Amino acid sequence: MKRILPVIVLSQFFCTSLWFAGNAVMGDIAKQLQLEPSYLAYLTSAVQLGFITGTLVFAILGIADRFSPVRVFFTCALIAAAVNALACLPGTDAAIILTLRFTIGFFLAGIYPVGMKIASDHYPQGLGKALGFLVGALVLGTALPHLLKNLMATLPWRYVILSTSMLAALGGCTMILLVPDGRERKPVVALNPAAFLQSFRNRQFRAAAFGYFGHMWELYAFWAFVPMMLTAYNNRFSNAVLNIPLLSFLIIGMGALACAASGIISKYLGVKKVATIALTISCTCCLVSPLFLFTGSTWILISFLLIWAIAVIADSPLFSTLVAQNAYQQSRGTALTIVNCFGFAVTIVSIQLISGLRTAENARYIYMLLAIGPVWGLMALIKGRNTNRDRKEKSSGS
């Protein structure tokens, strides 16, 4: 039992390295294919759109609840790894890369939320801690391509792509060989297309879900634009020589420690309280970002981005915990999948909004718009808390 969580975490880490593999080598691809800088937003959104489509299909069909989630994870990992490697074939152009990234996103729907389903089946108690490590693996996997890019700076960009494909295939094989289906799994045989909306009847589930949506508005846009924030700083100051791939890895990867820490802390302070604190800090970072993004000190800039990176992801496993705890047990996998679907749909809007409005003149202020999400999430948490308090008062009064 003790070895199961580390194996799930390792598999998730390897497989989610596919997520930002394209972003890490975007500069090389853009030079080779003579693409505009705005292609980065389309590249990121293609993965997100594929993930949204995949999670919607998986949720409607109840894949994670009707079939062995371990086998679903394994199958999707191998397919996504193979599709990712196709980008290395000769003659690949911008349209093909976007199609491949969309397809990878589709099959990531059978990796990330299904991994959480597997963890929830094995760890019904202490789920916040388990998901803290699991989401931390997602964060580290997301950041890994940037590290690979830094280590392979003298090699063609295809080496980064092939490396992430091999890691993803290894992750899928590790899962199928070492992790059984959990004891809490309740197989569902019949197909019920409406089951994916069933949990939304629960007010506490809705509060957790809408809090998660607000968190997602900020999260992936921040991750996607970290390299551009660093690039803008280099362009602003002639003496700045920031190592963008390495710093992008460190800044995004720092969130892995934040997820693990928030999961552990939530055992003592409570899941919702820790999520509220993290969301408040990340909201503050959005609002004060103009004071730090073009500061004359690189250390102040990096310190600020590290704090923001910690706060922006620390609440993610906690929202997933709240969603899992308030979902119907027989459709927990489907509930996690559909919440991921809606959450990642939000990320496309925020990424495209920032990309469309961002200019050299407003690059200092544009990220204040990311505060919209945390404010929305905090309102959902407060509303959920008030609803729960009202319910308790009514029951005690009767």
Side-chain angles (χ1 to χ4, degrees):
M1 184 70 175
K2 291 183 179 180
R3 67 170 171 79
I4 289 178
L5 181 58
V7 173
I8 298 174
V9 169
L10 186 64
S11 297
Q12 189 87 297
F13 166 57
F14 284 163
C15 292
T16 53
S17 66
L18 298 174
W19 215 306
F20 270 23
N23 296 58
V25 296
M26 178 57 220
D28 296 320
I29 295 175
K31 288 180 182 178
Q32 180 177 319
L33 301 180
Q34 299 180 340
L35 302 173
E36 296 294 328
S38 60
Y39 188 76
L40 171 64
Y42 294 118
L43 195 71
T44 304
S45 295
V47 182
Q48 308 299 75
L49 184 58
F51 185 82
I52 293 164
T53 306
T55 48
L56 185 60
V57 171
F58 277 55
I60 292 175
L61 298 179
I63 299 294
D65 293 310
R66 294 175 59 221
F67 303 99
S68 164
V70 171
R71 293 181 180 276
V72 172
F73 187 104
F74 168 72
T75 303
C76 290
L78 291 190
I79 295 174
V83 172
N84 186 59
L86 292 177
C88 298
L89 293 176
T92 303
D93 58 20
I96 292 176
I97 290 176
L98 287 177
T99 303
L100 294 177
R101 299 306 296 168
F102 173 89
T103 308
I104 290 166
F106 184 95
F107 287 102
L108 280 168
I111 294 172
Y112 176 44
V114 173
M116 290 194 292
K117 159 67 173 170
I118 295 169
S120 67
D121 287 343
H122 281 283
Y123 300 95
Q125 304 300 323
L127 183 58
K129 178 181 177 181
L131 291 187
F133 285 108
L134 198 62
V135 178
L138 164 70
V139 177
L140 206 56
T142 301
L144 181 61
H146 292 290
L147 177 62
L148 293 175
K149 170 60 179 172
N150 182 69
L151 296 175
M152 301 179 183
T154 59
L155 299 174
W157 60 266
R158 290 176 175 82
Y159 282 80
V160 174
I161 298 295
L162 292 174
S163 296
T164 54
S165 285
M166 288 188 289
L167 287 173
L170 179 60
C173 292
T174 302
M175 182 71 82
I176 194 72
L177 292 174
L178 299 179
V179 179
D181 286 325
R183 299 178 191 175
E184 295 295 313
R185 181 184 173 233
K186 305 293 182 184
V188 178
V189 177
L191 173 62
N192 181 7
F196 73 99
L197 293 176
Q198 185 180 25
S199 293
F200 279 94
R201 298 170 187 167
N202 182 332
R203 290 185 178 182
Q204 291 301 307
F205 179 90
R206 290 202 302 271
F210 281 99
Y212 176 77
F213 300 156
H215 148 79
M216 290 296 283
W217 171 274
E218 178 191 12
L219 176 61
Y220 273 82
F222 173 75
W223 281 352
F225 288 102
V226 160
M228 297 189 72
M229 293 177 191
L230 298 172
T231 300
Y233 189 87
N234 275 347
N235 293 337
R236 174 91 173 189
F237 299 98
S238 58
N239 62 335
V241 287
L242 297 180
N243 185 328
I244 294 172
L246 181 60
L247 284 174
S248 296
F249 166 75
L250 292 175
I251 291 167
I252 297 173
M254 183 60 68
L257 297 178
C259 289
S262 68
I264 294 172
I265 294 171
S266 68
K267 292 182 64 177
Y268 304 97
L269 299 182
V271 173
K272 188 173 290 187
K273 184 175 182 179
V274 178
T276 302
I277 293 171
L279 203 56
T280 301
I281 295 174
S282 67
C283 181
T284 303
C285 288
C286 296
L287 295 175
V288 302
S289 59
L291 301 177
F292 295 94
L293 291 182
F294 286 155
T295 177
S297 170
T298 56
W299 288 109
I300 292 177
L301 169 70
I302 295 170
S303 298
F304 169 70
L305 290 177
L306 287 172
I307 293 171
W308 195 354
I310 290 171
V312 77
I313 188 61
D315 49 0
S316 190
L318 306 180
F319 280 120
S320 296
T321 300
L322 292 171
V323 167
Q325 289 176 341
N326 289 287
Y328 290 103
Q329 187 176 17
Q330 287 191 324
S331 59
R332 183 183 294 155
T334 296
L336 284 165
T337 303
I338 196 60
V339 168
N340 270 263
C341 174
F342 293 158
F344 278 83
V346 171
T347 68
I348 289 185
V349 179
S350 62
I351 289 171
Q352 292 297 329
L353 177 67
I354 298 297
S355 177
L357 296 179
R358 186 182 182 278
T359 64
E361 290 73 26
N362 68 19
R364 183 173 190 165
Y365 303 96
I366 190 66
Y367 302 107
M368 293 178 69
L369 291 175
L370 295 181
I372 295 171
V375 169
W376 180 11
L378 288 169
M379 290 175 61
L381 288 176
I382 293 171
K383 183 177 180 181
R385 188 180 297 120
N386 291 339
T387 300
N388 194 38
R389 186 184 299 121
D390 293 343
R391 187 182 300 136
K392 287 182 179 179
E393 290 175 354
K394 287 181 181 179
S395 61
S396 61
S398 59

